[in-house]
Short mmCIF file of all heavy atoms in Angstrom, two decimals:
data_model
loop_
_atom_site.label_atom_id
_atom_site.label_comp_id
_atom_site.label_asym_id
_atom_site.label_seq_id
_atom_site.Cartn_x
_atom_site.Cartn_y
_atom_site.Cartn_z
N LEU F 1062 -27.48 5.90 1.73
CA LEU F 1062 -26.51 4.88 1.36
C LEU F 1062 -27.16 3.51 1.28
O LEU F 1062 -28.16 3.25 1.93
CB LEU F 1062 -25.38 4.83 2.40
CG LEU F 1062 -24.60 6.12 2.62
CD1 LEU F 1062 -23.64 5.94 3.78
CD2 LEU F 1062 -23.86 6.52 1.36
N ASN F 1063 -26.57 2.64 0.47
CA ASN F 1063 -27.01 1.25 0.41
C ASN F 1063 -25.91 0.40 1.03
O ASN F 1063 -24.75 0.45 0.62
CB ASN F 1063 -27.23 0.80 -1.04
CG ASN F 1063 -28.39 1.52 -1.66
OD1 ASN F 1063 -29.41 1.73 -1.04
ND2 ASN F 1063 -28.23 1.92 -2.92
N LEU F 1064 -26.26 -0.38 2.03
CA LEU F 1064 -25.31 -1.26 2.71
C LEU F 1064 -25.63 -2.70 2.33
O LEU F 1064 -26.78 -3.11 2.33
CB LEU F 1064 -25.42 -1.08 4.23
CG LEU F 1064 -25.24 0.35 4.73
CD1 LEU F 1064 -25.49 0.40 6.24
CD2 LEU F 1064 -23.85 0.86 4.41
N LEU F 1065 -24.59 -3.47 2.01
CA LEU F 1065 -24.78 -4.85 1.59
C LEU F 1065 -24.15 -5.81 2.59
O LEU F 1065 -23.08 -5.53 3.13
CB LEU F 1065 -24.13 -5.08 0.22
CG LEU F 1065 -24.68 -4.29 -0.95
CD1 LEU F 1065 -23.86 -4.57 -2.19
CD2 LEU F 1065 -26.13 -4.64 -1.19
N SER F 1066 -24.77 -6.94 2.76
CA SER F 1066 -24.21 -8.03 3.55
C SER F 1066 -23.57 -9.02 2.59
O SER F 1066 -24.26 -9.70 1.83
CB SER F 1066 -25.30 -8.71 4.36
OG SER F 1066 -24.82 -9.92 4.88
N VAL F 1067 -22.24 -9.09 2.61
CA VAL F 1067 -21.53 -10.02 1.73
C VAL F 1067 -21.96 -11.45 2.05
O VAL F 1067 -22.16 -12.27 1.16
CB VAL F 1067 -20.01 -9.84 1.86
CG1 VAL F 1067 -19.26 -10.91 1.07
CG2 VAL F 1067 -19.60 -8.46 1.39
N ASN F 1068 -22.16 -11.75 3.32
CA ASN F 1068 -22.59 -13.09 3.72
C ASN F 1068 -23.92 -13.47 3.08
O ASN F 1068 -24.09 -14.59 2.60
CB ASN F 1068 -22.68 -13.17 5.24
CG ASN F 1068 -22.96 -14.57 5.71
OD1 ASN F 1068 -22.30 -15.51 5.29
ND2 ASN F 1068 -23.95 -14.72 6.56
N LYS F 1069 -24.88 -12.53 3.04
CA LYS F 1069 -26.17 -12.81 2.41
C LYS F 1069 -26.02 -13.05 0.91
O LYS F 1069 -26.66 -13.92 0.35
CB LYS F 1069 -27.14 -11.65 2.63
CG LYS F 1069 -27.92 -11.73 3.89
CD LYS F 1069 -29.02 -10.69 3.87
CE LYS F 1069 -29.90 -10.81 5.09
NZ LYS F 1069 -31.01 -9.87 5.05
N ILE F 1070 -25.18 -12.27 0.26
CA ILE F 1070 -24.98 -12.43 -1.18
C ILE F 1070 -24.40 -13.80 -1.48
O ILE F 1070 -24.85 -14.51 -2.38
CB ILE F 1070 -24.05 -11.33 -1.74
CG1 ILE F 1070 -24.71 -9.96 -1.58
CG2 ILE F 1070 -23.71 -11.60 -3.20
CD1 ILE F 1070 -23.78 -8.81 -1.88
N ILE F 1071 -23.40 -14.20 -0.72
CA ILE F 1071 -22.74 -15.49 -0.94
C ILE F 1071 -23.70 -16.65 -0.66
O ILE F 1071 -23.82 -17.58 -1.45
CB ILE F 1071 -21.48 -15.61 -0.05
CG1 ILE F 1071 -20.42 -14.63 -0.51
CG2 ILE F 1071 -20.93 -17.03 -0.06
CD1 ILE F 1071 -19.28 -14.48 0.47
N ALA F 1072 -24.39 -16.58 0.47
CA ALA F 1072 -25.25 -17.69 0.89
C ALA F 1072 -26.40 -17.96 -0.06
O ALA F 1072 -26.72 -19.11 -0.35
CB ALA F 1072 -25.78 -17.41 2.29
N LYS F 1073 -27.05 -16.92 -0.55
CA LYS F 1073 -28.25 -17.09 -1.38
C LYS F 1073 -27.96 -17.25 -2.86
O LYS F 1073 -28.83 -17.67 -3.61
CB LYS F 1073 -29.19 -15.90 -1.18
CG LYS F 1073 -29.72 -15.76 0.21
CD LYS F 1073 -30.89 -16.68 0.43
CE LYS F 1073 -31.52 -16.39 1.77
NZ LYS F 1073 -32.76 -17.11 1.97
N ASN F 1074 -26.76 -16.88 -3.32
CA ASN F 1074 -26.47 -16.88 -4.76
C ASN F 1074 -25.39 -17.86 -5.17
O ASN F 1074 -25.02 -17.92 -6.33
CB ASN F 1074 -26.11 -15.47 -5.22
CG ASN F 1074 -27.30 -14.54 -5.17
OD1 ASN F 1074 -28.13 -14.57 -6.06
ND2 ASN F 1074 -27.39 -13.73 -4.13
N ASN F 1075 -24.84 -18.61 -4.22
CA ASN F 1075 -23.83 -19.63 -4.52
C ASN F 1075 -22.68 -19.08 -5.36
O ASN F 1075 -22.37 -19.58 -6.44
CB ASN F 1075 -24.48 -20.83 -5.22
CG ASN F 1075 -23.56 -22.03 -5.23
OD1 ASN F 1075 -22.74 -22.19 -4.32
ND2 ASN F 1075 -23.68 -22.87 -6.23
N ILE F 1076 -22.06 -18.01 -4.86
CA ILE F 1076 -20.93 -17.41 -5.56
C ILE F 1076 -19.75 -17.27 -4.60
O ILE F 1076 -19.90 -17.38 -3.39
CB ILE F 1076 -21.28 -16.03 -6.15
CG1 ILE F 1076 -21.64 -15.04 -5.05
CG2 ILE F 1076 -22.37 -16.13 -7.18
CD1 ILE F 1076 -21.83 -13.63 -5.56
N LEU F 1077 -18.60 -17.03 -5.16
CA LEU F 1077 -17.38 -16.79 -4.41
C LEU F 1077 -16.99 -15.33 -4.60
O LEU F 1077 -16.99 -14.83 -5.73
CB LEU F 1077 -16.25 -17.69 -4.93
CG LEU F 1077 -14.87 -17.49 -4.35
CD1 LEU F 1077 -14.85 -17.86 -2.87
CD2 LEU F 1077 -13.86 -18.30 -5.11
N ILE F 1078 -16.68 -14.65 -3.52
CA ILE F 1078 -16.24 -13.26 -3.58
C ILE F 1078 -14.86 -13.16 -2.97
O ILE F 1078 -14.62 -13.66 -1.87
CB ILE F 1078 -17.22 -12.32 -2.84
CG1 ILE F 1078 -18.60 -12.38 -3.51
CG2 ILE F 1078 -16.69 -10.89 -2.84
CD1 ILE F 1078 -19.65 -11.52 -2.84
N HIS F 1079 -13.95 -12.53 -3.71
CA HIS F 1079 -12.57 -12.37 -3.24
C HIS F 1079 -12.23 -10.88 -3.19
O HIS F 1079 -12.41 -10.17 -4.17
CB HIS F 1079 -11.60 -13.08 -4.19
CG HIS F 1079 -10.17 -12.85 -3.86
ND1 HIS F 1079 -9.53 -13.50 -2.84
CD2 HIS F 1079 -9.26 -12.01 -4.39
CE1 HIS F 1079 -8.28 -13.07 -2.76
NE2 HIS F 1079 -8.09 -12.17 -3.70
N PHE F 1080 -11.76 -10.42 -2.03
CA PHE F 1080 -11.33 -9.04 -1.85
C PHE F 1080 -9.81 -9.00 -1.75
O PHE F 1080 -9.21 -9.84 -1.09
CB PHE F 1080 -11.91 -8.45 -0.55
CG PHE F 1080 -13.38 -8.28 -0.56
CD1 PHE F 1080 -14.22 -9.27 -0.06
CD2 PHE F 1080 -13.96 -7.12 -1.05
CE1 PHE F 1080 -15.59 -9.11 -0.04
CE2 PHE F 1080 -15.33 -6.95 -1.05
CZ PHE F 1080 -16.14 -7.95 -0.55
N ASP F 1081 -9.22 -8.00 -2.40
CA ASP F 1081 -7.81 -7.69 -2.13
C ASP F 1081 -7.70 -6.18 -1.98
O ASP F 1081 -8.72 -5.48 -1.94
CB ASP F 1081 -6.88 -8.26 -3.21
CG ASP F 1081 -7.11 -7.69 -4.60
OD1 ASP F 1081 -7.52 -6.52 -4.71
OD2 ASP F 1081 -6.86 -8.41 -5.58
N ALA F 1082 -6.52 -5.65 -1.87
CA ALA F 1082 -6.34 -4.23 -1.60
C ALA F 1082 -6.88 -3.33 -2.71
O ALA F 1082 -7.26 -2.19 -2.45
CB ALA F 1082 -4.87 -3.92 -1.36
N ALA F 1083 -6.96 -3.84 -3.93
CA ALA F 1083 -7.34 -3.00 -5.06
C ALA F 1083 -8.74 -3.25 -5.61
O ALA F 1083 -9.32 -2.37 -6.22
CB ALA F 1083 -6.33 -3.18 -6.19
N LYS F 1084 -9.29 -4.45 -5.40
CA LYS F 1084 -10.57 -4.75 -6.05
C LYS F 1084 -11.32 -5.90 -5.38
O LYS F 1084 -10.81 -6.55 -4.48
CB LYS F 1084 -10.35 -5.05 -7.52
CG LYS F 1084 -9.43 -6.20 -7.78
CD LYS F 1084 -9.08 -6.29 -9.25
CE LYS F 1084 -7.71 -6.88 -9.36
NZ LYS F 1084 -6.73 -6.21 -10.07
N CYS F 1085 -12.50 -6.12 -5.88
CA CYS F 1085 -13.35 -7.22 -5.44
C CYS F 1085 -13.69 -8.03 -6.68
O CYS F 1085 -14.10 -7.49 -7.70
CB CYS F 1085 -14.61 -6.65 -4.80
SG CYS F 1085 -15.87 -7.88 -4.47
#
């Protein structure tokens, strides 16, 4: 499996990630 750290993605790439019940 590949596990991702959302915090690392946000911090290094200057993006916003929004999760809801159906999608990201």
Side-chain angles (χ1 to χ4, degrees):
L1062 301 174
N1063 293 319
L1064 305 175
L1065 298 176
S1066 167
V1067 174
N1068 187 49
K1069 273 191 175 184
I1070 296 170
I1071 292 168
K1073 297 278 187 172
N1074 291 281
N1075 195 29
I1076 63 173
L1077 174 66
I1078 298 178
H1079 174 78
F1080 293 93
D1081 62 32
K1084 58 190 150 234
C1085 170

